[in-house]
Amino acid sequence: MRQDYDKFLAQDAELLVVGPEDADAFRRYWSDHNLPFPGLPDPKHSVLKLYGQQVKLFKLGRMPAQVIVDINGIARYVHYGKNMSDIPSNEEILAALA
Amino acid sequence: MEEMDQLMSNKVQLNLPAPDFELHDFDGRTVRLSDYQGKKHVVLVFNRGFL
């Protein structure tokens, strides 16, 4: 994600990462990995529930999900992972932004 | 599979407005999806957990 961040910026897109971890965990991870995009802790799962990520369904962990919201606030691309490795490539996401 | 149906019913619909939300980044800054409207597209990534 980090290497392709410039490509997202070139398409006038911001990358927002939301996760159930708390602010401290996010801060440490962002600092360890030197990530340039915003990280949004959601320990209450409020946005995760709002967007329907399947939080408790599998014990191994949550399924990943990506949503592209265009400049008018409309959802244009939605991907819910069926398993842990079901994540679209950055190329797919960039293609959807173009 | 009722739980699945309930979760699926919160799925985001394509070509309809994405639900607005408000969260704080880990520095305490308020971030709203609607902040970006008219300015940028947003790629929202719901992480599978990095810990």
Side-chain angles (χ1 to χ4, degrees), chain B residues 24-38:
Chain B
H24 297 95
D25 72 9
F26 50 79
D27 284 326
R29 265 176 247 115
T30 306
V31 175
R32 276 180 217 94
L33 181 62
S34 47
D35 288 345
Y36 294 94
Q37 199 163 327

